[in-house]
Amino acid sequence: MNELTETRALRTNPPLPDPEQLDRQRSQLLDVIQHDKGRQWRTLFTVTGASRSPRRRILMATVAGAALAVTGGIVAQLPHGAPAGGREVLSAKATAAALELAAATVEQKGATEPGPKQWVYAKGTRFVGGKPQTSEQWTRWDGTGSASLPAQPPAGHVKNFDPNKLHVWYGPNQEEKWKKEGYDDRSQRQFYRFLATLPSDPDQMMQRIRQEHAIGDIKGETHAQRDWREIDVLFRSVLIPPKVQAGMFRALAKIPGARVEKGVKDPLGREAIGVTVNFPKRTAAGWQGKQEIFLDPQTYEYRGEISRVAPIGDYRPEGLNPRMQHKVANSNLISEARVASGVVNKPGERP
């Protein structure tokens, strides 16, 4: 297998961005080569198991650059395999290039809004005390129904309630009431349509989100901290308009200290791309330490996260026995992963 074949093999059936996107990607990626002396380029185009000799690394960078210029800008995604040394953190310029590639990729996706009677499905795993807890959730698009497994009983006592049986709860349409009275609550449909109105420019997009108080203000929070928190919440949405998802990647690149990491695995042990930021001191929202968002290495869809909160210290919630108080006081890790998601026609159905 020659070097050009190896380069093409990094990505099969790649999306074809438009010429403007290609020019932007070429500019950013070639800037990485010129100013970072090719090191970050090689982190983007390393072939798992390939020779690490200087001659081969230089040749790979040269061939990859030629592939961009000659083949119309077909670009490779981040490699799937972990580097020999484990995790590798990309520089700021290489991070921006990688996130621009992710943005250009997701912009090519189609977007069809579900019908009002369709349901959004999400299956996730949260790790509590190191033990996985998996649940499934169905939410009707117009906000009038929900169901989950394990099932959650409604308020009050329910005789012989079986959490392993699917229970579907219906209610009145609250969309107009929520909108009129200014509630933060939104149906899946309302939230999707709000996102669809956002400008594609990442700075303008994040400004609009802050103005709308989508997740609420926290006094003392910086713009960078707020943007990370907003994007972290938005990524959990099952359906995101492609232009907004692309804007989120570009907004991540603008957060000071945000970095792409390769050679990572998500909380379920699946190969992933990591986007991280570190808060050395406690933020106004209570976060402290390394925060991680995991993405699928092929589609760039959300796969999960690890969030770290500031030590609780002497905080002791009332009503907890001493053993549980100790666990709460010393727990500062939130780890969760998305297993599956999609749109279905009825609760209990899976995509």
Side-chain angles (χ1 to χ4, degrees), residues 271-332:
E271 291 181 357
I273 296 168
V275 185
T276 70
V277 71
N278 186 57
F279 300 132
K281 298 181 179 179
R282 179 191 179 103
T283 70
W287 307 115
Q288 186 173 349
K290 186 177 183 179
Q291 316 298 317
E292 303 175 82
I293 295 174
F294 300 99
L295 307 169
D296 184 285
Q298 294 182 344
T299 65
Y300 301 103
E301 294 295 331
Y302 173 81
R303 273 196 167 178
E305 66 180 85
I306 293 178
S307 301
R308 292 169 175 84
V309 300
I312 300 175
D314 295 331
Y315 173 65
R316 296 291 187 273
E318 294 182 4
L320 290 181
N321 62 47
R323 181 176 299 177
M324 286 301 298
Q325 286 178 350
H326 175 75
K327 288 184 178 181
V328 169
N330 291 280
S331 175
N332 70 335

Short mmCIF file of all heavy atoms in Angstrom, two decimals, residues 271-332:
data_model
loop_
_atom_site.label_atom_id
_atom_site.label_comp_id
_atom_site.label_asym_id
_atom_site.label_seq_id
_atom_site.Cartn_x
_atom_site.Cartn_y
_atom_site.Cartn_z
N GLU A 271 -14.14 4.26 21.17
CA GLU A 271 -13.20 5.25 20.65
C GLU A 271 -13.95 6.54 20.35
O GLU A 271 -15.07 6.53 19.84
CB GLU A 271 -12.53 4.72 19.39
CG GLU A 271 -11.57 3.56 19.66
CD GLU A 271 -10.88 3.07 18.40
OE1 GLU A 271 -11.20 3.60 17.31
OE2 GLU A 271 -10.05 2.17 18.49
N ALA A 272 -13.33 7.66 20.67
CA ALA A 272 -14.01 8.94 20.55
C ALA A 272 -13.01 10.06 20.31
O ALA A 272 -11.80 9.88 20.45
CB ALA A 272 -14.84 9.21 21.80
N ILE A 273 -13.54 11.20 19.95
CA ILE A 273 -12.80 12.45 19.92
C ILE A 273 -13.18 13.20 21.19
O ILE A 273 -14.36 13.30 21.52
CB ILE A 273 -13.16 13.28 18.68
CG1 ILE A 273 -12.74 12.55 17.40
CG2 ILE A 273 -12.52 14.66 18.74
CD1 ILE A 273 -13.31 13.17 16.16
N GLY A 274 -12.22 13.74 21.87
CA GLY A 274 -12.50 14.50 23.09
C GLY A 274 -12.33 15.99 22.85
O GLY A 274 -11.40 16.42 22.17
N VAL A 275 -13.23 16.79 23.38
CA VAL A 275 -13.07 18.23 23.42
C VAL A 275 -13.08 18.60 24.90
O VAL A 275 -14.04 18.27 25.62
CB VAL A 275 -14.19 18.98 22.67
CG1 VAL A 275 -13.90 20.48 22.66
CG2 VAL A 275 -14.33 18.46 21.25
N THR A 276 -12.03 19.25 25.36
CA THR A 276 -11.87 19.48 26.79
C THR A 276 -11.56 20.93 27.11
O THR A 276 -11.09 21.69 26.27
CB THR A 276 -10.72 18.61 27.36
OG1 THR A 276 -9.46 19.12 26.87
CG2 THR A 276 -10.85 17.16 26.94
N VAL A 277 -11.85 21.28 28.34
CA VAL A 277 -11.45 22.57 28.89
C VAL A 277 -11.15 22.34 30.37
O VAL A 277 -11.70 21.40 30.98
CB VAL A 277 -12.55 23.63 28.70
CG1 VAL A 277 -13.76 23.35 29.60
CG2 VAL A 277 -12.03 25.04 28.93
N ASN A 278 -10.30 23.15 30.93
CA ASN A 278 -9.92 22.97 32.34
C ASN A 278 -10.22 24.24 33.12
O ASN A 278 -9.82 25.34 32.72
CB ASN A 278 -8.44 22.62 32.46
CG ASN A 278 -8.07 22.28 33.90
OD1 ASN A 278 -8.64 21.37 34.50
ND2 ASN A 278 -7.11 22.99 34.45
N PHE A 279 -10.93 24.09 34.23
CA PHE A 279 -11.19 25.20 35.13
C PHE A 279 -10.39 24.99 36.41
O PHE A 279 -10.80 24.22 37.28
CB PHE A 279 -12.69 25.29 35.47
CG PHE A 279 -13.58 25.50 34.27
CD1 PHE A 279 -14.71 24.72 34.08
CD2 PHE A 279 -13.30 26.47 33.34
CE1 PHE A 279 -15.54 24.91 32.99
CE2 PHE A 279 -14.11 26.67 32.23
CZ PHE A 279 -15.24 25.89 32.06
N PRO A 280 -9.23 25.63 36.54
CA PRO A 280 -8.38 25.40 37.72
C PRO A 280 -9.08 25.75 39.03
O PRO A 280 -8.87 25.10 40.05
CB PRO A 280 -7.17 26.31 37.48
CG PRO A 280 -7.17 26.57 36.01
CD PRO A 280 -8.61 26.58 35.60
N LYS A 281 -9.91 26.81 39.00
CA LYS A 281 -10.63 27.23 40.19
C LYS A 281 -12.13 26.99 40.00
O LYS A 281 -12.62 26.93 38.88
CB LYS A 281 -10.37 28.70 40.48
CG LYS A 281 -8.90 29.02 40.77
CD LYS A 281 -8.72 30.50 41.07
CE LYS A 281 -7.27 30.82 41.38
NZ LYS A 281 -7.07 32.27 41.66
N ARG A 282 -12.81 26.90 41.10
CA ARG A 282 -14.25 26.68 41.07
C ARG A 282 -14.95 27.79 40.28
O ARG A 282 -14.69 28.98 40.50
CB ARG A 282 -14.79 26.64 42.50
CG ARG A 282 -16.30 26.44 42.60
CD ARG A 282 -16.78 26.68 44.03
NE ARG A 282 -18.21 26.51 44.13
CZ ARG A 282 -18.80 25.44 44.64
NH1 ARG A 282 -18.07 24.46 45.12
NH2 ARG A 282 -20.11 25.35 44.68
N THR A 283 -15.81 27.42 39.35
CA THR A 283 -16.59 28.42 38.61
C THR A 283 -17.85 28.76 39.39
O THR A 283 -18.21 28.08 40.36
CB THR A 283 -16.98 27.89 37.22
OG1 THR A 283 -17.96 26.84 37.38
CG2 THR A 283 -15.76 27.34 36.48
N ALA A 284 -18.52 29.80 38.93
CA ALA A 284 -19.76 30.20 39.61
C ALA A 284 -20.82 29.10 39.53
O ALA A 284 -21.70 29.01 40.39
CB ALA A 284 -20.30 31.49 38.99
N ALA A 285 -20.74 28.25 38.50
CA ALA A 285 -21.69 27.14 38.36
C ALA A 285 -21.29 25.92 39.18
O ALA A 285 -22.04 24.94 39.24
CB ALA A 285 -21.80 26.75 36.89
N GLY A 286 -20.10 25.96 39.80
CA GLY A 286 -19.68 24.86 40.65
C GLY A 286 -18.73 23.88 40.00
O GLY A 286 -18.31 22.91 40.61
N TRP A 287 -18.35 24.13 38.70
CA TRP A 287 -17.44 23.22 38.02
C TRP A 287 -15.99 23.53 38.40
O TRP A 287 -15.61 24.66 38.63
CB TRP A 287 -17.59 23.33 36.50
CG TRP A 287 -18.99 23.16 36.02
CD1 TRP A 287 -19.76 24.10 35.40
CD2 TRP A 287 -19.79 21.99 36.12
NE1 TRP A 287 -21.00 23.58 35.10
CE2 TRP A 287 -21.05 22.28 35.53
CE3 TRP A 287 -19.59 20.72 36.66
CZ2 TRP A 287 -22.08 21.35 35.47
CZ3 TRP A 287 -20.62 19.80 36.58
CH2 TRP A 287 -21.84 20.11 36.00
N GLN A 288 -15.18 22.51 38.45
CA GLN A 288 -13.75 22.69 38.71
C GLN A 288 -12.99 21.50 38.15
O GLN A 288 -13.40 20.36 38.32
CB GLN A 288 -13.46 22.83 40.21
CG GLN A 288 -12.00 23.16 40.51
CD GLN A 288 -11.77 23.45 41.99
OE1 GLN A 288 -12.71 23.61 42.77
NE2 GLN A 288 -10.51 23.53 42.37
N GLY A 289 -11.85 21.79 37.50
CA GLY A 289 -11.05 20.72 36.92
C GLY A 289 -11.37 20.50 35.45
O GLY A 289 -11.98 21.34 34.78
N LYS A 290 -10.97 19.37 34.94
CA LYS A 290 -11.10 19.06 33.52
C LYS A 290 -12.52 18.64 33.18
O LYS A 290 -13.09 17.76 33.80
CB LYS A 290 -10.13 17.93 33.16
CG LYS A 290 -10.07 17.62 31.68
CD LYS A 290 -9.03 16.53 31.41
CE LYS A 290 -8.89 16.23 29.94
NZ LYS A 290 -7.86 15.19 29.68
N GLN A 291 -13.09 19.30 32.16
CA GLN A 291 -14.41 18.97 31.66
C GLN A 291 -14.25 18.37 30.27
O GLN A 291 -13.47 18.88 29.45
CB GLN A 291 -15.29 20.22 31.60
CG GLN A 291 -15.20 21.13 32.82
CD GLN A 291 -15.65 20.46 34.09
OE1 GLN A 291 -16.66 19.76 34.10
NE2 GLN A 291 -14.93 20.68 35.19
N GLU A 292 -14.97 17.30 29.96
CA GLU A 292 -14.77 16.58 28.70
C GLU A 292 -16.09 16.31 28.00
O GLU A 292 -17.05 15.86 28.62
CB GLU A 292 -14.06 15.25 28.97
CG GLU A 292 -12.72 15.38 29.68
CD GLU A 292 -12.13 14.03 30.02
OE1 GLU A 292 -11.50 13.43 29.12
OE2 GLU A 292 -12.29 13.58 31.17
N ILE A 293 -16.11 16.57 26.71
CA ILE A 293 -17.23 16.20 25.84
C ILE A 293 -16.69 15.21 24.81
O ILE A 293 -15.64 15.45 24.21
CB ILE A 293 -17.82 17.43 25.13
CG1 ILE A 293 -18.46 18.38 26.17
CG2 ILE A 293 -18.86 17.00 24.09
CD1 ILE A 293 -18.95 19.69 25.56
N PHE A 294 -17.41 14.11 24.61
CA PHE A 294 -16.94 13.07 23.70
C PHE A 294 -17.82 13.03 22.45
O PHE A 294 -19.05 13.14 22.54
CB PHE A 294 -16.98 11.71 24.39
CG PHE A 294 -16.11 11.65 25.63
CD1 PHE A 294 -16.67 11.81 26.88
CD2 PHE A 294 -14.74 11.47 25.52
CE1 PHE A 294 -15.88 11.78 28.03
CE2 PHE A 294 -13.94 11.44 26.65
CZ PHE A 294 -14.51 11.59 27.91
N LEU A 295 -17.17 12.87 21.29
CA LEU A 295 -17.86 12.87 20.01
C LEU A 295 -17.53 11.62 19.22
O LEU A 295 -16.43 11.07 19.34
CB LEU A 295 -17.44 14.10 19.19
CG LEU A 295 -17.57 15.46 19.87
CD1 LEU A 295 -16.89 16.52 19.03
CD2 LEU A 295 -19.04 15.81 20.11
N ASP A 296 -18.49 11.18 18.41
CA ASP A 296 -18.26 10.05 17.52
C ASP A 296 -17.17 10.43 16.50
O ASP A 296 -17.25 11.51 15.90
CB ASP A 296 -19.56 9.70 16.79
CG ASP A 296 -19.42 8.46 15.93
OD1 ASP A 296 -18.80 8.57 14.85
OD2 ASP A 296 -19.93 7.40 16.33
N PRO A 297 -16.16 9.60 16.30
CA PRO A 297 -15.06 9.97 15.40
C PRO A 297 -15.43 10.00 13.92
O PRO A 297 -14.66 10.50 13.11
CB PRO A 297 -14.00 8.90 15.68
CG PRO A 297 -14.77 7.73 16.19
CD PRO A 297 -15.93 8.29 16.95
N GLN A 298 -16.61 9.47 13.57
CA GLN A 298 -17.03 9.48 12.17
C GLN A 298 -18.09 10.54 11.90
O GLN A 298 -18.02 11.25 10.91
CB GLN A 298 -17.56 8.11 11.77
CG GLN A 298 -16.50 7.02 11.78
CD GLN A 298 -17.05 5.68 11.34
OE1 GLN A 298 -18.26 5.47 11.29
NE2 GLN A 298 -16.16 4.76 11.01
N THR A 299 -19.08 10.65 12.77
CA THR A 299 -20.21 11.55 12.54
C THR A 299 -20.14 12.83 13.35
O THR A 299 -20.87 13.77 13.09
CB THR A 299 -21.53 10.85 12.88
OG1 THR A 299 -21.56 10.57 14.30
CG2 THR A 299 -21.68 9.55 12.11
N TYR A 300 -19.28 12.85 14.38
CA TYR A 300 -19.15 13.97 15.30
C TYR A 300 -20.40 14.18 16.16
O TYR A 300 -20.61 15.24 16.72
CB TYR A 300 -18.79 15.27 14.57
CG TYR A 300 -17.50 15.15 13.78
CD1 TYR A 300 -17.52 14.99 12.40
CD2 TYR A 300 -16.27 15.19 14.42
CE1 TYR A 300 -16.35 14.85 11.68
CE2 TYR A 300 -15.09 15.06 13.71
CZ TYR A 300 -15.13 14.89 12.34
OH TYR A 300 -13.97 14.76 11.64
N GLU A 301 -21.23 13.15 16.27
CA GLU A 301 -22.39 13.24 17.15
C GLU A 301 -21.94 13.08 18.61
O GLU A 301 -20.93 12.45 18.91
CB GLU A 301 -23.41 12.15 16.80
CG GLU A 301 -24.05 12.31 15.43
CD GLU A 301 -24.90 13.57 15.32
OE1 GLU A 301 -25.44 14.00 16.36
OE2 GLU A 301 -25.00 14.13 14.22
N TYR A 302 -22.75 13.64 19.49
CA TYR A 302 -22.47 13.59 20.92
C TYR A 302 -22.49 12.16 21.43
O TYR A 302 -23.42 11.39 21.14
CB TYR A 302 -23.52 14.42 21.65
CG TYR A 302 -23.49 14.35 23.17
CD1 TYR A 302 -22.58 15.11 23.89
CD2 TYR A 302 -24.38 13.54 23.86
CE1 TYR A 302 -22.56 15.06 25.28
CE2 TYR A 302 -24.37 13.48 25.24
CZ TYR A 302 -23.45 14.25 25.94
OH TYR A 302 -23.43 14.20 27.31
N ARG A 303 -21.47 11.78 22.21
CA ARG A 303 -21.40 10.43 22.78
C ARG A 303 -21.38 10.42 24.29
O ARG A 303 -21.50 9.35 24.89
CB ARG A 303 -20.14 9.72 22.26
CG ARG A 303 -20.36 9.01 20.94
CD ARG A 303 -19.26 8.01 20.67
NE ARG A 303 -19.60 7.12 19.58
CZ ARG A 303 -18.79 6.18 19.13
NH1 ARG A 303 -17.57 6.04 19.65
NH2 ARG A 303 -19.16 5.39 18.14
N GLY A 304 -21.19 11.56 24.89
CA GLY A 304 -21.18 11.57 26.34
C GLY A 304 -20.27 12.64 26.90
O GLY A 304 -19.75 13.48 26.16
N GLU A 305 -20.10 12.62 28.20
CA GLU A 305 -19.29 13.65 28.85
C GLU A 305 -18.80 13.18 30.21
O GLU A 305 -19.35 12.25 30.81
CB GLU A 305 -20.09 14.92 29.03
CG GLU A 305 -21.26 14.77 30.00
CD GLU A 305 -22.04 16.06 30.16
OE1 GLU A 305 -22.93 16.31 29.32
OE2 GLU A 305 -21.75 16.79 31.12
N ILE A 306 -17.76 13.83 30.66
CA ILE A 306 -17.32 13.72 32.05
C ILE A 306 -17.19 15.14 32.58
O ILE A 306 -16.43 15.94 32.03
CB ILE A 306 -15.98 12.97 32.18
CG1 ILE A 306 -16.15 11.51 31.78
CG2 ILE A 306 -15.45 13.06 33.61
CD1 ILE A 306 -14.87 10.69 31.84
N SER A 307 -17.96 15.45 33.59
CA SER A 307 -17.92 16.77 34.21
C SER A 307 -17.42 16.63 35.63
O SER A 307 -17.78 15.68 36.33
CB SER A 307 -19.31 17.42 34.20
OG SER A 307 -19.79 17.56 32.88
N ARG A 308 -16.60 17.57 36.03
CA ARG A 308 -16.07 17.56 37.39
C ARG A 308 -16.53 18.80 38.12
O ARG A 308 -16.40 19.92 37.61
CB ARG A 308 -14.54 17.47 37.35
CG ARG A 308 -14.04 16.12 36.81
CD ARG A 308 -12.55 16.12 36.52
NE ARG A 308 -12.09 14.80 36.13
CZ ARG A 308 -12.15 14.30 34.90
NH1 ARG A 308 -12.66 15.06 33.94
NH2 ARG A 308 -11.73 13.09 34.62
N VAL A 309 -17.05 18.60 39.31
CA VAL A 309 -17.53 19.71 40.11
C VAL A 309 -16.54 19.97 41.24
O VAL A 309 -15.72 19.12 41.59
CB VAL A 309 -18.93 19.43 40.69
CG1 VAL A 309 -19.92 19.21 39.55
CG2 VAL A 309 -18.92 18.22 41.60
N ALA A 310 -16.62 21.17 41.80
CA ALA A 310 -15.73 21.53 42.89
C ALA A 310 -16.02 20.65 44.10
O ALA A 310 -17.17 20.24 44.33
CB ALA A 310 -15.91 23.00 43.25
N PRO A 311 -14.99 20.33 44.91
CA PRO A 311 -15.22 19.52 46.11
C PRO A 311 -16.29 20.15 47.00
O PRO A 311 -16.32 21.36 47.22
CB PRO A 311 -13.84 19.53 46.80
CG PRO A 311 -12.88 19.77 45.69
CD PRO A 311 -13.59 20.69 44.73
N ILE A 312 -17.18 19.30 47.48
CA ILE A 312 -18.27 19.79 48.33
C ILE A 312 -17.77 20.15 49.72
O ILE A 312 -18.32 21.00 50.40
CB ILE A 312 -19.39 18.73 48.41
CG1 ILE A 312 -19.93 18.47 46.99
CG2 ILE A 312 -20.53 19.19 49.30
CD1 ILE A 312 -20.95 17.37 46.91
N GLY A 313 -16.69 19.53 50.15
CA GLY A 313 -16.11 19.86 51.44
C GLY A 313 -17.00 19.49 52.60
O GLY A 313 -17.42 18.34 52.73
N ASP A 314 -17.32 20.45 53.40
CA ASP A 314 -18.09 20.18 54.62
C ASP A 314 -19.59 20.21 54.40
O ASP A 314 -20.37 20.10 55.35
CB ASP A 314 -17.73 21.21 55.70
CG ASP A 314 -16.29 21.07 56.16
OD1 ASP A 314 -15.76 19.95 56.09
OD2 ASP A 314 -15.70 22.09 56.55
N TYR A 315 -20.04 20.36 53.15
CA TYR A 315 -21.47 20.40 52.89
C TYR A 315 -22.11 19.07 53.26
O TYR A 315 -21.66 18.01 52.84
CB TYR A 315 -21.72 20.71 51.42
CG TYR A 315 -23.18 20.61 51.01
CD1 TYR A 315 -24.12 21.49 51.53
CD2 TYR A 315 -23.60 19.65 50.11
CE1 TYR A 315 -25.45 21.40 51.16
CE2 TYR A 315 -24.92 19.55 49.72
CZ TYR A 315 -25.84 20.43 50.25
OH TYR A 315 -27.15 20.34 49.88
N ARG A 316 -23.16 19.12 54.05
CA ARG A 316 -23.86 17.91 54.49
C ARG A 316 -25.37 18.11 54.32
O ARG A 316 -26.01 18.75 55.15
CB ARG A 316 -23.55 17.60 55.96
CG ARG A 316 -22.08 17.26 56.23
CD ARG A 316 -21.71 15.92 55.61
NE ARG A 316 -20.38 15.49 55.97
CZ ARG A 316 -19.29 15.84 55.30
NH1 ARG A 316 -19.38 16.63 54.26
NH2 ARG A 316 -18.10 15.39 55.68
N PRO A 317 -25.96 17.62 53.22
CA PRO A 317 -27.41 17.75 53.05
C PRO A 317 -28.16 17.11 54.21
O PRO A 317 -27.79 16.05 54.69
CB PRO A 317 -27.68 17.00 51.74
CG PRO A 317 -26.36 16.95 51.04
CD PRO A 317 -25.34 16.87 52.13
N GLU A 318 -29.19 17.78 54.64
CA GLU A 318 -29.98 17.25 55.76
C GLU A 318 -30.71 15.97 55.34
O GLU A 318 -31.11 15.80 54.19
CB GLU A 318 -31.01 18.29 56.22
CG GLU A 318 -30.37 19.54 56.82
CD GLU A 318 -31.42 20.51 57.32
OE1 GLU A 318 -32.61 20.15 57.26
OE2 GLU A 318 -31.04 21.61 57.74
N GLY A 319 -30.87 15.08 56.27
CA GLY A 319 -31.64 13.87 56.03
C GLY A 319 -30.84 12.70 55.53
O GLY A 319 -31.37 11.60 55.38
N LEU A 320 -29.54 12.90 55.25
CA LEU A 320 -28.72 11.79 54.79
C LEU A 320 -28.02 11.13 55.98
O LEU A 320 -27.58 11.81 56.91
CB LEU A 320 -27.65 12.28 53.80
CG LEU A 320 -28.15 12.73 52.43
CD1 LEU A 320 -26.95 13.15 51.57
CD2 LEU A 320 -28.92 11.64 51.73
N ASN A 321 -27.94 9.80 55.93
CA ASN A 321 -27.21 9.12 57.00
C ASN A 321 -25.72 9.39 56.84
O ASN A 321 -25.26 9.80 55.77
CB ASN A 321 -27.51 7.61 57.00
CG ASN A 321 -27.07 6.92 55.72
OD1 ASN A 321 -25.96 7.13 55.24
ND2 ASN A 321 -27.95 6.09 55.17
N PRO A 322 -24.90 9.19 57.86
CA PRO A 322 -23.47 9.51 57.80
C PRO A 322 -22.74 8.87 56.63
O PRO A 322 -21.86 9.49 56.02
CB PRO A 322 -22.94 9.00 59.14
CG PRO A 322 -24.13 9.09 60.05
CD PRO A 322 -25.31 8.73 59.20
N ARG A 323 -23.10 7.63 56.27
CA ARG A 323 -22.41 6.96 55.16
C ARG A 323 -22.68 7.69 53.84
O ARG A 323 -21.78 7.92 53.04
CB ARG A 323 -22.87 5.51 55.06
CG ARG A 323 -22.17 4.74 53.94
CD ARG A 323 -22.59 3.28 53.94
NE ARG A 323 -22.23 2.61 55.18
CZ ARG A 323 -22.53 1.34 55.44
NH1 ARG A 323 -23.19 0.63 54.54
NH2 ARG A 323 -22.17 0.80 56.58
N MET A 324 -23.94 8.08 53.61
CA MET A 324 -24.27 8.79 52.39
C MET A 324 -23.70 10.20 52.40
O MET A 324 -23.29 10.72 51.35
CB MET A 324 -25.80 8.85 52.21
CG MET A 324 -26.42 7.53 51.80
SD MET A 324 -25.73 6.92 50.24
CE MET A 324 -26.21 8.22 49.11
N GLN A 325 -23.65 10.84 53.55
CA GLN A 325 -23.05 12.16 53.64
C GLN A 325 -21.60 12.11 53.18
O GLN A 325 -21.12 13.00 52.47
CB GLN A 325 -23.14 12.67 55.08
CG GLN A 325 -24.53 13.10 55.49
CD GLN A 325 -24.57 13.56 56.93
OE1 GLN A 325 -23.61 13.38 57.67
NE2 GLN A 325 -25.68 14.14 57.33
N HIS A 326 -20.89 11.08 53.58
CA HIS A 326 -19.49 10.95 53.19
C HIS A 326 -19.37 10.80 51.68
O HIS A 326 -18.49 11.40 51.05
CB HIS A 326 -18.87 9.73 53.88
CG HIS A 326 -17.45 9.45 53.46
ND1 HIS A 326 -16.38 10.21 53.89
CD2 HIS A 326 -16.94 8.51 52.61
CE1 HIS A 326 -15.26 9.75 53.33
NE2 HIS A 326 -15.58 8.72 52.56
N LYS A 327 -20.27 10.00 51.08
CA LYS A 327 -20.21 9.80 49.63
C LYS A 327 -20.50 11.10 48.89
O LYS A 327 -19.83 11.44 47.91
CB LYS A 327 -21.22 8.73 49.21
CG LYS A 327 -20.81 7.31 49.61
CD LYS A 327 -21.80 6.30 49.08
CE LYS A 327 -21.38 4.87 49.43
NZ LYS A 327 -22.34 3.88 48.91
N VAL A 328 -21.50 11.86 49.36
CA VAL A 328 -21.84 13.11 48.71
C VAL A 328 -20.70 14.10 48.83
O VAL A 328 -20.31 14.78 47.88
CB VAL A 328 -23.14 13.70 49.32
CG1 VAL A 328 -23.35 15.13 48.82
CG2 VAL A 328 -24.33 12.83 48.95
N ALA A 329 -20.09 14.17 50.02
CA ALA A 329 -19.03 15.14 50.26
C ALA A 329 -17.80 14.87 49.42
O ALA A 329 -17.04 15.78 49.11
CB ALA A 329 -18.66 15.14 51.73
N ASN A 330 -17.57 13.62 49.03
CA ASN A 330 -16.35 13.27 48.32
C ASN A 330 -16.59 12.91 46.85
O ASN A 330 -15.69 12.43 46.19
CB ASN A 330 -15.67 12.09 49.03
CG ASN A 330 -15.11 12.48 50.37
OD1 ASN A 330 -14.04 13.08 50.46
ND2 ASN A 330 -15.86 12.20 51.43
N SER A 331 -17.80 13.12 46.38
CA SER A 331 -18.10 12.81 44.99
C SER A 331 -18.02 14.08 44.16
O SER A 331 -18.68 15.06 44.47
CB SER A 331 -19.51 12.21 44.88
OG SER A 331 -19.85 12.02 43.53
N ASN A 332 -17.19 14.10 43.13
CA ASN A 332 -17.09 15.29 42.28
C ASN A 332 -17.03 14.94 40.80
O ASN A 332 -16.60 15.74 39.99
CB ASN A 332 -15.86 16.12 42.66
CG ASN A 332 -14.56 15.43 42.28
OD1 ASN A 332 -14.52 14.21 42.17
ND2 ASN A 332 -13.52 16.21 42.08
#
